[in-house]
Amino acid sequence: MSVVGVDFGTLKTVIAVARNRGVDVVTNEVSNRATPSMVGFGPKSRYLGEAAKTQEISNLKNTVGSLKRLIGRTFADPDIQTEQQYITAPLVDVNGQVGAEINYLGNKEKFSATQLVAMYLSKIRQTAASELKLPVSDICMTVPPWFTDVQRRGLIDAAEIAGLKLLRLINDNTAAALGWGITKLDLPGPEEKPRRVAFVDIGHSSYTCSIIEFRKGELSVKSTAWDRNFGGRDFDKALVDHLAKEFKGKYKVDITTHGRAMARTIASAEKVKKVLSANQQSPVNIESLMNDIDATSMITRQEFEAMIEPLLARAHVPLEQALAQAKLTKDDIDIIEVVGGGSRIPALKERIQEFFGKPLSFTLNADEALARGSAFSCAILSPVFRVRDFSVQDIISYPIEFAWEKAPDIPDEDTSLTVFNKGNVMPSTKILTFYRKQPFDLEARYTQPEDLPGKTNPWIGRFSVKSVKADGKEDFMICKLKARVNIHGVLNVETGYYVEDQEVEEEVKDEEGDKKDPDAMETDKKDDGSKKTRKVKKQVRKGDLPIASGTASLDDSAKATLIEKESAMVMEDKLVADTEEKKNELEAYIYDLRAKLDEQYSEFASDEEKTSIKAKLEVTEDWLYDEGDDTTKGVYVAKIDEIRAMAGPIVQRHFEKVDAERRAVQERAEA
Ligand code: ATP
Ligand code: MG
């Protein structure tokens, strides 16, 4: 079993694996160290990752990128309108979640964001497994700190549908920080001032800053701030808007109404942007953009910086917010580590540096640091791996409250309570106490809906506490509920139980002699003059209270259905791939045998044999380019077998001759 970290990005995904020597990045089937976060659909199969990117421009309507931006969102959310600007397939509602409508196997189909992400992650699992030559199940995966409960649950469901077991969803910067800290041997001791590092990640779509404190063997996140809509794609868009205007004037074409022209301009803008990170100017060349026009232009870095000024002017905001939340000043920050592909823009680096008033640090690999950190996290959590222990303490991103109905017989009871505050440590467990005579319900929700992305519903879940009843004396049952924001940042009411107040006798330790518990009833009974005991009122656990949870997670039967659908599609893809392989094998066999008949097999075949086999090869070849172009795997295998049967005797004679020669050489050597 392998130990894998996945940085699931908006644009691309990086896979890393923890091995005994350290952490390595896994390359994909075309030897790339990152895989496009994209899926596509065709008449015969799906295209996942690299294959989706390859066919993107010719199949825009059936290609879905920016998968991560869709998970856990509703179609009606205004954020989804923004996403539609970057996604070429039409977005639609799929049972209350956003999804895409595409053509697959000749039919119109709708897939939810959870399904689309599951397809992609299933490809990531295959990529990792085929590279590592080991099954892959346990992974840790990155998540933006601003992801809400429903988004996180969506990712967990998708991973499960893809056959993966998520050991941890780790916040982006926390992953970078873990990778940074775990290798450092000079971190301050427990009593010393911690080392304070600001991690800044600027990706394709979002920008986050976290202030993190390090001591030997541990890191703790102090604050995290973000701009959800600030990343490489926004810089690309500034260029695209500029080019669209220029092409309209220069060539009298409107690329904004033309999907393919638009997609090619976006691709070209991304290239220009990258060139401008290293050079003062960059040419733009888009061959036959539309209406047979070869569009060309030239953009200088200065022009580009003017175009992106509105973005640059916002760059300080997350930094300022992170400092304020951590109640720190710029001077308290020892190091500023910058990651994410978007951070390579020189003007942006300048703004960040200006803000902190000190040089930035680039000791982490901007593209791979998050995947590496996730692999470390997986190694720490996985039972199959031993790694130096490093404690990771994160924080809760949005305050969470519980609400309930007033108990009829408790007049002054509140009906809601904020249980987890923003900035509380995560994971975290809180025990809630209720006095009830009947089963009751609790609802969990985000306290401040205005902080959530777009129009996210603040509702998190409903928890029904069963088996509550009054005891013999018509007294309240004291109900205890364990609410936990777990290692993924997901809230659950994990267990319920009830307790009884009981007086128990407890030994009083000498050193505690004068620290009196106000609830304790001291008896001061001295046995043999040495041991002191006292009677203490204690709550003793008497039994369990079952809890029925309704959350945004898929229920088991819905999940089972999606797992079944996904494996059917995996089989379909595999069959298409196998068929293609057999077709290629037949084609290669025809060429190979034809050549050999004139060469090494020549002396072992009669003229009739040669003629009849060559005729067969020719017929089969013609068939391959005609009706045999698209048929089933079985038919290709049958054709290969037919030819093999005809060539069999010749191959045998050739083999016998070669074998006899080999033996002769051997005998001579031994003589
Ligand atoms: P996110 O973290 O927002 O989900 P992601 O993880 O996929 O997205 P990254 O891989 O960190 O994003 O960064 C990708 C972005 O970085 C792209 O917009 C890409 O164009 C940009 N980028 C990469 N190299 C450069 C460069 N040399 N100059 C400017 N931008 C670059
Ligand atoms: Mg990223």
Side-chain angles (χ1 to χ4, degrees):
M1 193 55 75
S2 31
V3 174
V4 168
V6 173
D7 175 22
F8 178 37
T10 305
L11 187 69
K12 59 185 183 46
T13 296
V14 181
I15 310 168
V17 58
R19 297 188 167 124
N20 289 321
R21 311 176 263 114
V23 170
D24 299 316
V25 164
V26 173
T27 54
N28 66 17
E29 70 271 27
V30 292
S31 303
N32 284 338
R33 294 171 75 85
T35 301
S37 302
M38 187 175 265
V39 299
F41 298 86
K44 289 188 347 190
S45 69
R46 305 180 294 179
Y47 313 105
L48 307 175
E50 292 288 353
K53 187 75 199 163
T54 308
Q55 54 86 65
E56 180 190 13
I57 297 284
S58 60
N59 192 25
L60 289 169
K61 288 275 166 251
N62 301 307
T63 302
V64 197
S66 298
L67 298 168
K68 162 176 160 180
R69 306 285 292 191
L70 300 178
I71 194 99
R73 309 302 298 269
T74 60
F75 176 65
D77 196 305
D79 273 10
I80 291 305
Q81 245 105 79
T82 310
E83 292 314 312
Q84 183 72 85
Q85 295 178 23
Y86 301 98
I87 296 174
T88 51
L91 299 175
V92 293
D93 174 77
V94 185
N95 306 322
Q97 206 197 141
V98 69
E101 184 174 61
I102 43 74
N103 249 302
Y104 172 50
L105 307 182
N107 302 312
K108 264 213 160 12
E109 289 242 29
K110 289 178 183 180
F111 291 113
S112 69
T114 304
Q115 284 179 287
L116 296 167
V117 172
M119 294 175 191
Y120 182 70
L121 291 180
S122 139
K123 175 68 186 179
I124 290 299
R125 181 176 53 74
Q126 290 165 30
T127 301
S130 75
E131 174 62 25
L132 302 174
K133 298 179 179 65
L134 276 172
V136 169
S137 155
D138 291 0
I139 66 160
C140 280
M141 189 160 84
T142 56
V143 62
W146 51 268
F147 261 37
T148 62
D149 199 83
V150 55
Q151 291 171 293
R152 289 168 192 260
R153 286 179 192 273
L155 286 177
I156 296 168
D157 285 342
E160 200 178 329
I161 296 166
L164 292 167
K165 187 163 162 237
L166 256 186
L167 299 190
R168 178 174 204 157
L169 278 178
I170 185 165
N171 285 338
D172 287 340
N173 283 321
T174 312
L178 176 57
W180 185 90
I182 203 166
T183 56
K184 296 268 179 303
L185 299 170
D186 63 340
L187 294 176
E191 304 304 324
E192 292 173 80
K193 180 166 117 19
R195 190 158 310 156
R196 293 204 183 92
V197 185
F199 287 87
V200 178
D201 175 13
I202 302 170
H204 189 56
S205 65
S206 95
Y207 171 7
T208 56
C209 172
S210 304
I211 312 249
I212 299 182
E213 289 186 351
F214 293 85
R215 285 196 175 89
K216 231 171 221 45
E218 62 176 50
L219 70 81
S220 77
V221 179
K222 291 293 138 191
S223 67
T224 301
W226 54 76
D227 186 333
R228 284 185 291 114
N229 293 299
F230 186 117
R233 67 180 191 176
D234 300 290
F235 293 89
D236 298 343
K237 189 168 184 305
L239 273 168
V240 170
D241 290 348
H242 166 88
L243 290 172
K245 219 182 278 166
E246 184 180 324
F247 294 161
K248 203 170 208 168
K250 205 153 124 189
Y251 304 117
K252 310 279 175 276
V253 293
D254 184 5
I255 59 166
T256 61
T257 58
H258 192 291
R260 195 167 154 271
M262 193 67 179
R264 296 190 57 216
T265 308
I266 292 172
S268 169
E270 200 203 344
K271 274 193 205 114
V272 168
K273 174 187 69 176
K274 288 183 181 169
V275 171
L276 289 176
S277 291
N279 300 279
Q280 289 301 328
Q281 59 177 32
S282 169
V284 181
N285 286 309
I286 313 172
E287 253 176 63
S288 55
L289 173 68
M290 55 191 286
N291 307 348
D292 276 337
I293 291 161
D294 294 339
T296 60
S297 182
M298 180 65 83
I299 293 174
T300 67
R301 188 189 281 182
Q302 210 177 0
E303 287 167 337
F304 176 54
E305 287 175 358
M307 290 172 214
I308 62 172
E309 181 52 37
L311 287 164
L312 296 174
R314 266 158 60 193
H316 66 282
V317 178
L319 311 175
E320 227 159 55
Q321 289 173 342
L323 280 178
Q325 272 171 42
K327 300 194 173 59
L328 294 170
T329 67
K330 298 167 192 185
D331 299 332
D332 296 320
I333 305 301
D334 299 310
I335 300 168
I336 305 119
E337 280 291 341
V338 182
V339 294
S343 70
R344 292 205 179 90
I345 295 175
L348 191 50
K349 284 195 263 195
E350 260 164 48
R351 294 293 166 106
I352 299 170
Q353 179 156 333
E354 256 167 47
F355 174 84
F356 283 106
K358 66 181 81 161
L360 307 179
S361 172
F362 297 94
T363 63
L364 292 171
N365 180 316
D367 299 308
E368 299 174 353
L370 274 65
R372 298 173 61 83
S374 306
F376 277 119
S377 175
C378 192
I380 290 171
L381 294 168
S382 166
V384 304
F385 209 82
R386 289 192 36 206
V387 67
R388 185 180 325 157
D389 218 14
F390 202 89
S391 133
V392 176
Q393 195 176 74
D394 214 312
I395 55 174
I396 289 172
S397 300
Y398 308 102
I400 297 170
E401 69 178 8
F402 278 88
W404 53 88
E405 269 184 16
K406 214 189 239 324
D409 22 25
I410 309 179
D412 53 355
E413 191 191 53
D414 287 332
T415 56
S416 73
L417 177 71
T418 295
V419 174
F420 298 97
N421 279 300
K422 185 182 168 98
N424 264 177
V425 301
M426 183 181 92
S428 164
T429 303
K430 299 268 166 91
I431 307 283
L432 314 181
T433 306
F434 288 89
Y435 294 83
R436 287 290 186 279
K437 292 177 183 172
Q438 265 135 21
F440 63 102
D441 279 11
L442 287 177
E443 203 166 275
R445 62 188 180 216
Y446 286 116
T447 313
Q448 290 172 23
E450 64 277 13
D451 292 351
L452 305 177
K455 282 258 174 311
T456 300
N457 185 340
W459 183 87
I460 296 174
R462 194 170 184 86
F463 306 94
S464 303
V465 187
K466 316 267 189 200
S467 304
V468 181
K469 51 183 185 288
D471 76 2
K473 294 168 279 166
E474 284 299 302
D475 246 353
F476 293 106
M477 194 179 242
I478 309 173
C479 310
K480 299 275 180 182
L481 305 176
K482 206 184 250 186
R484 180 169 169 82
V485 177
N486 66 18
I487 199 165
H488 306 301
V490 160
L491 175 89
N492 281 306
V493 176
E494 293 188 337
T495 47
Y497 55 94
Y498 60 99
V499 298
E500 247 172 38
D501 285 328
Q502 276 183 4
E503 267 182 16
V504 290
E505 213 152 286
E506 196 181 73
E507 189 180 318
V508 180
K509 294 222 173 70
D510 268 348
E511 58 269 38
E512 281 181 355
D514 47 8
K515 269 194 263 162
K516 277 183 192 155
D517 181 345
D519 273 351
M521 303 192 305
E522 283 248 15
T523 55
D524 251 344
K525 192 169 69 180
K526 274 199 170 185
D527 300 333
D528 344 305
S530 67
K531 274 195 186 154
K532 249 203 225 168
T533 64
R534 58 183 178 178
K535 282 208 171 122
V536 190
K537 236 189 187 173
K538 266 208 163 167
Q539 294 192 320
V540 179
R541 187 167 172 157
K542 300 300 280 186
D544 290 339
L545 295 174
I547 293 172
S549 307
T551 66
S553 291
L554 288 172
D555 63 47
D556 288 346
S557 82
K559 211 182 307 173
T561 309
L562 294 184
I563 288 172
E564 218 168 277
K565 273 194 187 161
E566 175 60 27
S567 29
M569 287 186 278
V570 168
M571 296 296 284
E572 194 75 49
D573 290 346
K574 186 170 178 332
L575 184 61
V576 170
D578 288 353
T579 306
E580 191 64 21
E581 198 182 301
K582 284 294 162 197
K583 184 181 166 190
N584 291 339
E585 190 181 319
L586 172 60
E587 195 174 15
Y589 186 46
I590 291 171
Y591 288 121
D592 182 60
L593 187 57
R594 185 180 284 144
K596 281 185 177 154
L597 279 175
D598 290 334
E599 291 160 20
Q600 59 261 58
Y601 294 163
S602 185
E603 56 176 301
F604 304 102
S606 67
D607 285 348
E608 285 117 271
E609 281 173 325
K610 280 185 197 163
T611 316
S612 79
I613 293 175
K614 279 185 175 168
K616 174 74 178 171
L617 294 179
E618 192 158 333
V619 170
T620 313
E621 191 177 18
D622 290 346
W623 171 84
L624 251 183
Y625 297 119
D626 191 20
E627 60 182 303
D629 183 45
D630 182 12
T631 180
T632 63
K633 180 177 155 190
V635 173
Y636 293 124
V637 172
K639 293 273 179 197
I640 294 172
D641 289 346
E642 278 170 33
I643 301 173
R644 204 165 267 152
M646 288 176 79
I650 301 163
V651 176
Q652 182 63 27
R653 283 172 227 145
H654 173 253
F655 171 77
E656 279 163 11
K657 165 93 183 294
V658 172
D659 198 45
E661 279 171 4
R662 186 185 55 79
R663 264 180 314 193
V665 170
Q666 202 173 358
E667 274 161 29
R668 244 176 288 139
E670 283 165 8

